[in-house]
Amino acid sequence: MIKSIVILLFCLFSARILSAQDAERNTFIDGLLNEMTIEEKIGQLNLVAPGGFTQTGPTVSEDVEEKIRNGQVGAILNSMSFDVTKKAQEIAVNTRLKIPLLFGMDVIHGHSTIFPIPLGLASTWDMALIERSARIAAVEASAHGINWTFSPMVDIARDARWGRIAEGAGEDPWLGSQVARAFVNGFQGENLTDPSTLMACVKHMALYGASEAGRDYNTVDMSRVAMFNYFLPPYKAAIDAGVGSVMTSFNVVDGIPATGNKWLLTDVLRDRWGFDGFIVSDYTSVNEMIPHGMGDLQQVSALALKAGLDMDMVGEGFLTTLKKSLEEGKVTEKDIDTACRRVLEAKYMMGLFADPFKYLDSGRLQTDVVNARHLQAAREIAAHSIVLLKNENQTLPLEKSGTIALVGPLADNKDDLLGTWVLVPDRNRTVSIREGIADVAGGNVEILYARGANITDDPYMQSTLRLSGPSQEVDPNGPSTEKLLDEAVIVARKADVIVAVLGESFAMSGEAASRADIGIPESQQELLRAMVNTGKPVVLVLVNGRPLTLTWENENTDAILETWAGGTEAGHAIADVLFGDYNPAGKLTVTFPRHVGQIPLYYNHLRTGRPMDPNNKYTSKYLDVPNDPLFPFGYGLSYTSFEYGELNLSKKELTGNDSLTVSVIIRNTGGIDGEEIAQLYLQDPAASITRPVKELKNFRKLMIKKGEQQEVTYTITTDDLKFYDSNLDLVWEPGEFIIYVGTNSRDVQSASVNWIRN
Ligand code: NOJ
């Protein structure tokens, strides 16, 4: 009783403090808005990308310095230099109203110390590690003067052809929501006024990952039920975690471009979800509403503002047309004030009015960037992101003795290990796989290296990749393709085991990097065939940013390690796994198809009226390829083995507020200690709308010592049974529910319960 009174008093007291703080902020911003001209207000809605900085879109902004002086800039994008950032802030705070700038950057998976690409980070299934990577990224970026990151990208992706699948957490909305939260917490920390934090920006609202045919910037068409159940939850999770800003997507949502979509930006994001931060467009996505067919620049800019957009990235539609729209009555001063207020509120909450230079302490560059602690974290996190896809005859871990042939165009390469979206990495600190193996193997291993192949010899692909900069795929001074291959065969013949490092260059995934064929490029496959033909054991180490089709590789190699683009310390982390200093435990968060023609292929699909029956012609299947994937969602092996005991349920019949406990004993039956990610899925077999065959609802990552066992317990409540029905109401419907527990989404055991209302 006394405890409850104390809690109540505490809540009332903190509510008063909060409202006092809010009142203080509102008074400050009201005062400022009163003094601002309409031009100055519109200026705050303008985000510029100065030329000379890293260009991440089709155009750049001009006369930036003058625009800052004239109060026509609210924020700057991808400023790479501390000195330039500082100078820009000095100019801004010397303007009439002294309003500081925001400095935004794509800090996606590390800043100078690079962590695995987000798809790799998700494969750790370890929220504490993901949060730590984001925390370190925030520390390093803020030491460079950056205070806002365009991350996390939480777009659910079911199509591995889409290059940006690399930037998200994969195909599952529940796991994607956990990852979204971990990123936001890591970037924003406890308090945004702390100068070692970044304001996060969840993107791309919404459905960007559902681009038709996996082609970037393509159109999207989706039912609202699918949006609410499978695509929107991670954005909402970021909002619930307190993300400060949201970025819109390039695509249409229900026929209207997201950037000008009032239903999405106001009805859903603000009114339904209660988001009170600011919304920024994607790079020129206001202007891109013109080719979408929504009108001229003045019309689309007014449409976007009216829909709820607050800041215009690069395109300057707001800057150049809003005043005219105001004069013509197409927007109101209140519309402009509302957007301006949100931008000013963010600056206020970050403490920039109190100290515009709080992120510009040059001393931190010496202590807070790429230090030993950050590198150690990068190595550990990269090791946790690696997924063991195959390990025949315990080919792995390798002995720390004998001769290894290390071949492949990605074996002695650094840039490709960093992956997509690295704007200011410390390239000198990147450890190649060749260097990592040499460091970890010790003196008793002889390593014979040969490049063996170019990343791709395909002239069309080489020409499209050249748009990302000088070709990484071919060594211009290197020998002919035949000579490369011969050199690899010579070293392979002398070795006990072959380690072939193959996959994709950094430019082959990420933005504007869709592929219609998601296999390993032919030049590298030729190398792999030659290695297999030597009859020596072959370990395939994959460096890539998306699921690949690996049917032949799976049939013909002895072991396969999926290492993604693992970042600065990838070389060490991969060597740690190859030699067994770390026992791999990562699991896939995306399905790996057998064939590109199966796409979209994802584990939580809806049921069909004619499920696959190999003996019945009129069922849902292909003539040439089975329906199932090569590696399912949640899949990943270990150097040890785990055995699951029987499922234990606390009850079989439940009502309303009951909770169900599901437990299972997992035993490490192999020879070494290892971690297992034990997954729980649910199926709702009969409901008012068709529900997926299975949906992830929980998991545990456990370290189990060899020969030991642990009991895992999950609690399920009616919250876990809920879905959005055809009225978009979040409901649970009584009846039977099937519970699955297992080591991946395919290999599970099941039990069913009956859950009725009170
Ligand atoms: C376009 C991308 O879609 C977005 O993710 C990124 O944050 C911006 N460019 C800024 O670089």
Side-chain angles (χ1 to χ4, degrees), residues 18 32 162 188 196 227 309 370 406 484 497 537 543 617 625 644 677 703 726 744 756:
L18 263 186
L32 196 51
W162 191 51
Q188 298 197 160
S196 75
M227 291 181 204
L309 187 80
V370 201
L406 178 66
L484 282 173
V497 58
V543 172
K617 175 176 165 70
V625 188
Y644 283 62
I677 298 167
M703 162 54 87
S726 45
N744 61 57
I756 56 169

Side-chain angles (χ1 to χ4, degrees), residues 480-524:
S480 68
T481 329
E482 294 71 30
K483 181 126 195 293
L484 282 173
L485 192 62
D486 289 348
E487 286 168 355
V489 172
I490 291 168
V491 298
R493 290 217 176 100
K494 294 186 192 149
D496 303 310
V497 58
I498 299 165
V499 174
V501 187
L502 309 181
E504 299 184 307
S505 65
F506 76 86
M508 285 166 69
S509 68
E511 186 175 349
S514 297
R515 293 180 62 199
D517 175 354
I518 56 166
I520 295 175
E522 172 55 27
S523 55
Q524 299 182 64

Side-chain angles (χ1 to χ4, degrees), residues 56 77-78 106 150 164 167 203-204 208 247 250 282-283 313 421 511:
T56 57
L77 168 77
N78 290 339
D106 292 286
F150 304 119
R164 302 197 80 169
E167 296 175 49
K203 68 189 189 186
H204 306 81
Y208 183 29
M247 188 187 294
F250 292 118
D282 202 346
Y283 209 108
M313 189 191 289
W421 282 121
E511 186 175 349

